[in-house]
Structures are given as structure tokens and as C-alpha cells.
Amino acid sequence: MHAAAVGSATALLDAYAAGDARFFASPTRTLLAHGVRAEVPHDARPLPERVAETLAGQPTLDGRPPLVVGAVAFDQDAPAALAVPETVRWAPPLAQDPLIALPVARPEPTGWSVRPVPEPAAYGAAVAAAVARMQRGEFGKVVLARTLELTAPTDLDLPAMVQQLARRDPGGYTFALPTGAGRTLLGASPELLVTRRGGQLVANPLAGSTPRSADLAEDVRRAAALLESAKDLHEHAMVVAAVRDGLAPFCTTLEVPERPTLVRTAAMWHLSTTVTGDLAVRDGRTATALELACALHPTPAVCGTPTGLAREVIRELEPFDRGLYTGMVGWEDASGDGEWVVTIRCAEAEQRTLRLYAGAGVVAASPPAAETAETGAKFQTFLHAVGVDQ
């Protein structure tokens, strides 16, 4: 790595402040944007068309194409939180910056009040109801989520939370951006939906998970067991098939490995497949990153199969509106390049309240207690960042 890059990524992390700042860090780059030059309108046109039109009239930013950055909801018909920033600063990935290894202080105990919605027992009952329907053959998979509502006695220190998230998993996707008056979406997702660079795409679906263990031998045992788990391999295969089918129409070649590998975060092991492809040129252009992302979203990793029926089951069994959770977050420039990440391991902050989200893929072989425990483990990414031990 060039010496000039040392400290440049962590400098952007350190410069993040809540308000109009938009921070996005990935394994390929770090981005910090400020201000709003234009907002992507909400109307009946397809989202990629609205984004392209918004970018078309914008000037370059320091010699780079203008870009939009923000978040898209789980329901693609809902308003998105996408804006063209006034300024953008770029740096190499956080994981390549040696300064990311320097420790930062853990958050002081805040006296959070924690309220699960739904209660764990009610979540387990919803999983059991979904399993019974799948065992009757009604559908193949549904992803059911639950939330934790955290309320603090003092104002939230969002920059400190983003520091914790980024430094715990510097090789992942850390994000923080405004989504409305006084509201901020922040998180550390492990899952790339799709990225486009020129004529190439990469997608990295994750499905099938198990919690990490602090004991090394047990951690290795859990990883090995996940690679052999029939239930998790089946769940993963459904997601990979959907990604392949969604991307194939845009590609001349598409490479899909036969078996998944493992990726790890600080809290979880995940089954992972890296899909790569060469984009087809049609009418003198290739599909943009956002067009590819919209063709995939929502994948069975966050919704289920078949998609329409899984959406109905989610509406029936989840006692809250997902909003931006399990949508996508990222950026796209006027050339069509961009990165879009699945919005998981996240929270929405407003005033003194955080709403955390976690979900689990439910198939016919899913034990309700195991899925409840899995969502509990997934909460740990964010609970660690705010100093809550559960």
C-alpha cells in the first residue's frame, strides 16, 4: 500500500458527524460525503431511471462522475433516501489502513432501556407457524425478523457507534446516513448485494449462519458444522439460484461456484458464494449497478421463496414495518458503477432511541428456538457498538 494512504481511511471515519454526512466503507473503498445537491424524486418511474435522470444534470465532483448515495427500502415502491451530495471524499479501504487496528474506548454504560418487539416467545411462535405452513407445502422459505428498541437517557453518540462498528469488522460494509428529519440509518453489513465496475459485476449472497464462539476449538467446530448442515446448505442454494436467475439476463458470462465457502464477522459465520459476471452490451450500454441491484432485490436471503408469498407471510407475522431494514444501501455514479449492500446488522436512530433489527431464514426444518437464538446473536454486532451486554 502506498505510504500516502496510511491514515486516510480512518481520517474519513474520524471525520464522520451526524447530520448531513453520509459515510460508506467497503472492502474496496471508503467514502464520506456532505451536503445535498439534489434528491432523487419519488414517483411511479423505476428507481434506476429516476437516479439516472437526477445524475444527468449534475457537474463532476473533483474530476469524478457525480454520484448518488443512500438507502432503498425493503419495499421498492416505498420512498428511497438517495441524494447527490455536494462534496465527496474518497480513501482506500479501512481494512488496508494500519490505524484501524488502534483501539478506541468502549462506550460507557448508558443505562439503556431495552424492549423487544416482538417478545422472543412471540417470535418463536411466528417461526413455528411459518414452519407448519412450509411443512404443508405452501412455500419454501421466509425470512422473519424481530427488533430491539433501545432508549437512552441522554443524546445518542452516533459517531462513537460508527467507530465501534467499523473497527470491529473493518473488512465489512459500514454505513451511516440521514434518512429523514432527525433520523439516521447506521450499521455494519456483511453482505454485498451487487457491485459493478465497468463491464464486470460481483455479487456475494450470504445465507445460512451460526454464531461465533469465543473458544477457538468450538468456533472451528461450528464453522465446520455449518459447511455440512443440510438445512443451511438448502437455504443457501435457494438464494444463490435466485441471484443467478436474476443476473443471467444481463450477462454474457456468469460464474457461480458449485459449493459455498465461509465468511466470518466478529459475531457470526455465514455460508457465502461469490458470483462474478461479464455484462452484456445492449443498445450501446450495459446495466447499471442499481439496475442489477433492483433485479435482485429482495433476494430469498432477506425475503423468502416464492417472493410474493413470502412478502405476504412477513406482513402477517412481523408486528412492525421493516422500512429500510433488508433494503439496500450504497452508491452509484453517473457512469453506472456502484456498490449496493444488503441493509442488515443495522439500526435506525432518532433522538434518544435506537431500533435494532435482526432476521433469520426459516425453512421447513427450522427449530424456532434456534432461529430465535440466531437473531439474538446477530443483534450482538450492534449491541457491542453501543455498550449493551446481553
Side-chain angles (χ1 to χ4, degrees):
M1 185 180 66
H2 194 278
V6 173
S8 58
T10 49
L12 296 190
L13 175 62
D14 294 343
Y16 168 76
D20 71 348
R22 291 166 168 81
F23 180 82
F24 181 84
S26 79
T28 64
R29 72 201 72 214
T30 306
L31 174 162
L32 180 65
H34 286 95
V36 176
R37 193 180 296 273
E39 292 186 341
V40 176
H42 177 63
D43 56 42
R45 292 174 298 161
L47 181 59
E49 181 180 324
R50 286 181 272 140
V51 167
E53 182 181 278
T54 303
L55 287 170
Q58 298 299 320
T60 59
L61 294 170
D62 297 325
R64 292 175 178 260
L67 77 157
V68 296
V69 60
V72 178
F74 173 64
D75 179 359
Q76 282 197 52
D77 294 330
L82 295 170
V84 180
E86 290 183 340
T87 64
V88 180
R89 295 163 62 191
W90 299 88
L94 286 171
Q96 292 182 12
D97 189 335
L99 301 188
I100 197 67
L102 296 177
V104 294
R106 282 291 310 276
E108 293 292 326
T110 303
W112 293 98
S113 96
V114 181
R115 184 172 76 98
V117 180
E119 292 286 342
Y123 177 78
V127 171
V131 166
R133 292 177 63 176
M134 283 183 281
Q135 290 175 345
R136 293 196 296 268
E138 291 186 31
F139 54 95
K141 174 186 174 179
V142 67
V143 177
L144 292 179
R146 62 188 184 103
T147 75
L148 293 179
E149 292 184 358
L150 274 59
T151 304
T154 57
D155 292 342
L156 304 180
D157 188 347
L158 299 185
M161 294 178 196
V162 176
Q163 286 277 352
Q164 291 290 333
L165 291 167
R167 291 176 183 274
R168 196 174 190 218
D169 281 311
Y173 301 87
T174 303
F175 52 89
L177 51 101
T179 56
R183 296 196 305 275
T184 301
L185 175 72
L186 63 162
S189 175
E191 185 167 5
L192 172 68
L193 183 62
V194 68
T195 183
R196 193 202 92 162
R197 186 172 184 177
Q200 281 76 48
L201 68 82
V202 179
N204 185 203
L206 306 181
S209 308
T210 195
R212 300 287 305 277
S213 172
D215 178 79
L216 178 59
E218 173 62 15
D219 196 44
V220 171
R221 188 200 69 76
R222 291 182 185 184
L226 181 61
L227 274 174
E228 300 300 326
S229 165
K231 176 257 183 189
D232 290 287
L233 288 169
H234 172 65
E235 180 186 342
H236 188 81
M238 282 194 286
V239 176
V240 172
V243 169
R244 180 193 62 228
D245 293 346
L247 293 177
F250 300 97
C251 296
T252 55
T253 61
L254 195 63
E255 297 292 331
V256 184
E258 289 188 6
R259 283 186 61 83
T261 58
L262 288 172
V263 299
R264 64 186 178 189
T265 67
M268 302 293 295
W269 286 104
H270 299 281
L271 292 178
S272 163
T273 295
T274 300
V275 177
T276 58
D278 295 311
L279 291 166
V281 179
R282 297 197 177 98
D283 300 322
R285 63 181 295 274
T286 57
T288 68
L290 188 56
E291 286 173 315
L292 298 169
C294 288
L296 294 178
H297 176 64
T299 73
V302 297
C303 183
T305 54
T307 303
L309 186 50
R311 281 181 180 277
E312 292 180 16
V313 175
I314 288 168
R315 279 194 292 266
E316 291 171 18
L317 296 179
E318 289 182 358
F320 55 86
D321 181 355
R322 286 192 178 188
L324 296 169
Y325 169 66
T326 61
M328 48 190 175
V329 61
W331 62 274
E332 174 169 296
D333 67 23
S335 76
D337 285 352
E339 290 179 289
W340 295 100
V341 175
V342 182
T343 312
I344 53 177
R345 309 296 188 277
C346 66
E348 288 186 286
E350 186 170 9
Q351 297 177 337
R352 296 181 176 183
T353 300
L354 280 173
R355 171 171 269 193
L356 282 58
Y357 298 86
V362 181
V363 294
S366 292
E371 305 302 354
T372 305
E374 179 177 317
T375 52
K378 289 174 177 175
F379 281 132
Q380 291 303 314
T381 295
F382 218 101
L383 291 174
H384 179 274
V386 300
V388 176
D389 294 318
Q390 280 203 338

